[in-house]
Structures are given as structure tokens and as C-alpha cells.
Amino acid sequence: MVKGKNFEVIIIGGSYAGLSAAMALGRSLRKVLVIDSGLPCNRQTPHSHNFLTQDGEKPAAIAAKARAEVLKYSTVQFLNGLAVSGEKNESGFLVATQDGAIFQTEKIIFATGIHDVMPDVLGFADCWGISVVHCPYCHGFELRDRKTGIMANGPRAVHLASLVNNLTKDITIFTMGNANFSAEELAKFDKHNIKIVETIISEIEHENGQLHHLVLNDGSRLDYDALYAAVPFNQHSDIPVALGCELTEQGYISIDNFYSTTVKGIYACGDNSGMMRSVGNAVYSGNFAGAMVNKELTDEQF
Ligand SMILES: Cc1cc2nc3c(=O)[nH]c(=O)nc-3n(C[C@H](O)[C@H](O)[C@H](O)COP(=O)(O)OP(=O)(O)OC[C@H]3O[C@@H](n4cnc5c(N)ncnc54)[C@H](O)[C@@H]3O)c2cc1C
């Protein structure tokens, strides 16, 4: 049960970025409400890697520890729920939740993350974050020396292949259609024995998310252990755009160097506003955004 209706800051999204912003603000005695719908993008990954002090920890355990630390600051409250709309008014913004509550706030921080769009490949979603992964820094060490596919084309495939090449020497790029590479890129693949397959993957055969075979449209069934995939994404929440926040060409919330969006009083941090997708970056950017919102409030009140 949330106490009160008026806040200095409402943070929408209470995973790593949102909680980190809340900590900076709570430590400055700001009256904060964090609203979180409990669907972080990494929820299917058994273990999170590459974040100091939490390497190999379960994603939900990191978030639970963060939440407990943040809620020690008595001016911060946490609401399990979905924010469904935001509206500008003369005192700042009104934020409404799915269960009908309406809160007033001076500033908003969106830490809402992004939603990965699963391709139309049977079994893909079941393996996402387990043996089908997006990031060599997060999962590459655990998948080292395995028979590995990369489901991507063009510059994204080149980028992934160059990183994964240091982790395993058995790489095939699945372009899911006509390959789109320059002669120079093809020469590099050749030099590193990286194979290219243009036939579309129709199914991933797996056991509890652990990939065993890639089944192609032509009926072939190939032994593989791991697949990197570049998938499209949407903003997890449409409230920033409804409030007038501009998006970048790539679909991220447009922010300046101080995490301010294109709408005064609204900030964004974490995955929703930058392509460096990691727990470490979410924590960093949330901490920075929290400090910037505190500075804006301080400048207005001092
Ligand atoms: C499969 C997978 C595995 C990964 N593994 C790793 C790893 O091993 N190591 C690593 O460093 N990084 C990893 N990452 C990246 C890392 O998980 C993200 O960078 C990080 O979770 C981003 O944090 P965030 O707070 O910005 O967003 P998220 O963690 O996605 O959280 C966003 C939160 O906002 C909430 N929300 C959204 N809209 C609303 C709304 N309208 N109202 C209320 N709440 C809302 C969501 O429910 C969610 O809780 C992985 C990512 C994926 C997809």
C-alpha cells in the first residue's frame, strides 16, 4: 500500500536502472515512488554474468538484493504494478496505474527497459537467454569452445562474429536469407574459417532451453550448442512517447549527456535509452540519472 499521492520523483521501472536511480534519490531524502511490473528482460536467464560482486548470480536475486537496499531509505516506496499513462499538468505530471491509482510527481524517470521481439522460429523463445543469447560479454565465456551459430546478417553479424571468434573457433553465420557482406568481410570470414548459411532456420530443437539441433527450411538438422542472435526490439512502455519524448532512429528514448529526454522534467536510463545493454550499464546510468534529477530539483528549490 503506497502512503500518499504526491512525490518529487516517480520512477517507472524498478529493475537495475530504476533501483539505482532510486538509491541516489533516496540518499538525498527525495520523496520517490518506484512502480514496477516485474518483467525484466533477462528473467529467463539462469545466471547473470559480467557485473562485479554478482558474477554468476540469478538475475532476480540481484534485483531482490538491490530492492532491499533501496527500501532501507524511508523516503522511497515501491509499488508492484503497471503504469499505464502519464499526463503533464501545472505541478509536473500525473501517473496512473492499471489498478486505478493516480499519483502526482514533479519529475519522472523512465527505467522501463526494452521488449525483445522473438523471431518466428519454433523453440527460439524457450532458449532465449539460456543457449540462444544476445551478448558475448554476458554469456560468451560459458559458451566458449562450443559449436556456435550466429543468427544475423550485415554489420551486426560482422560485429558478433568478430567478438565470438575469440571465444570459439567453430562459427557459422545464419543470415536467414541472402547474405549481405562486402568482399572484404567475406575475406575475413574465410580467414577465420567462419561459414555462412543462407537457408532459414525454422526450428530450434532443445531440452529445457538447451539447444541441440538447428532445423533448416530445407529439412537439414544440424548439431549446434549455442546461437547468438540479433533480434529487433520495442520500447517496453509507450508512455514516454505519449508524453512527447522523442526516440532515436534506432528506437531508443533520445537523451542528452545528463539523461534528460527531449521533454523537460522527464529522464530515461538503462536499456530503453542506450545500446550498451548490461546490468553494469543499467546501474551506472540509473545512478547518474538519479543524481541529475536531484540536481534539477535542487536548482529549482535552492
Ligand atoms: C536474455 C538476456 C540475458 C542477459 N544477460 C545478461 C548478463 O548475463 N549480464 C549482464 O550484464 N546483462 C545481461 N543482460 C542485459 C541486462 O539484463 C539488461 O541490460 C538490464 O536488465 C537492463 O536493465 P533495465 O533496468 O534498463 O531494464 P529491465 O531489467 O528490462 O527492467 C525494466 C523494468 O521496467 C518494468 N516496466 C516496464 N514498463 C513498465 C510500466 N509501464 N510500468 C511499470 N513497470 C514497467 C519491467 O517490468 C521491468 O521490471 C541480458 C539481457 C537479456 C535480454
Side-chain angles (χ1 to χ4, degrees):
M1 181 69 182
V2 176
K3 288 190 223 113
K5 291 282 176 203
N6 292 297
F7 293 89
E8 290 177 293
V9 187
I10 288 183
I11 300 172
I12 303 181
S15 179
Y16 315 107
L19 288 168
S20 182
M23 177 169 273
L25 288 158
R27 292 183 54 74
S28 297
L29 296 178
R30 293 296 176 190
K31 213 173 158 203
V32 177
L33 177 63
V34 182
I35 304 174
D36 184 61
S37 55
L39 291 174
C41 62
N42 62 349
R43 59 191 178 277
Q44 195 165 279
T45 286
H47 303 283
S48 178
H49 288 281
N50 201 31
F51 180 50
L52 276 175
T53 75
Q54 304 297 320
D55 191 37
E57 185 53 277
K58 292 183 176 65
I62 302 174
K65 187 168 183 211
R67 199 160 48 240
E69 285 180 357
V70 166
L71 291 179
K72 284 187 196 149
Y73 296 93
S74 61
T75 59
V76 180
Q77 296 187 65
F78 192 95
L79 173 65
N80 291 304
L82 181 72
V84 288
S85 67
E87 190 187 314
K88 178 117 192 67
N89 66 7
E90 65 283 357
S91 317
F93 305 92
L94 287 172
V95 173
T97 64
Q98 196 172 39
D99 57 10
I102 297 178
F103 301 102
Q104 173 73 50
T105 183
E106 294 175 41
K107 313 288 172 197
I108 296 179
I109 299 177
F110 285 104
T112 36
I114 54 175
H115 167 70
D116 296 300
V117 180
M118 296 291 104
D120 190 17
V121 174
L122 208 65
F124 188 102
D126 298 326
C127 298
W128 183 237
I130 301 169
S131 58
V132 176
V133 297
H134 76 296
C135 165
Y137 295 103
C138 302
H139 309 287
F141 183 84
E142 286 65 39
L143 300 174
R144 68 193 181 282
D145 300 328
R146 305 280 180 84
K147 192 168 167 62
T148 298
I150 293 175
M151 194 177 116
N153 204 349
R156 186 75 191 135
V158 177
H159 176 65
L160 275 172
S162 67
L163 295 176
V164 176
N165 185 53
N166 204 43
L167 295 160
T168 177
K169 294 299 171 208
D170 192 342
I171 300 175
T172 306
I173 297 175
F174 292 89
T175 52
M176 304 288 278
N178 291 342
N180 175 22
F181 300 117
S182 67
E184 197 186 332
E185 289 164 346
L186 289 170
K188 282 189 184 175
F189 295 154
D190 207 35
K191 178 173 144 198
H192 295 291
N193 294 319
I194 295 172
K195 302 163 277 297
I196 296 173
V197 171
E198 293 181 320
T199 315
I200 287 172
I201 302 170
S202 56
E203 181 176 354
I204 297 176
E205 288 182 356
H206 66 96
E207 200 179 333
N208 299 324
Q210 184 53 61
L211 191 167
H212 291 314
H213 300 103
L214 298 177
V215 182
L216 307 188
N217 255 357
D218 62 8
S220 39
R221 189 165 170 264
L222 314 171
D223 277 351
Y224 272 85
D225 302 313
L227 186 70
Y228 289 84
V231 298
F233 70 88
N234 300 322
Q235 284 292 325
H236 203 152
S237 167
D238 52 14
I239 305 173
V241 169
L243 275 166
C245 298
E246 285 171 21
L247 300 184
T248 66
E249 249 176 54
Q250 295 85 19
Y252 295 106
I253 299 174
S254 181
I255 50 169
D256 65 15
N257 290 339
F258 304 102
Y259 293 89
S260 174
T261 70
T262 51
V263 176
K264 188 162 168 44
I266 302 182
Y267 289 71
C269 54
D271 278 8
N272 65 12
S273 46
M275 61 190 300
M276 189 61 206
R277 195 177 194 193
S278 69
V279 173
N281 184 62
V283 169
Y284 162 79
S285 64
N287 187 256
F288 200 151
M292 291 302 98
V293 169
N294 185 50
K295 181 179 183 307
E296 189 169 296
L297 287 165
T298 304
D299 289 347
E300 289 166 3
Q301 295 164 359
F302 189 64

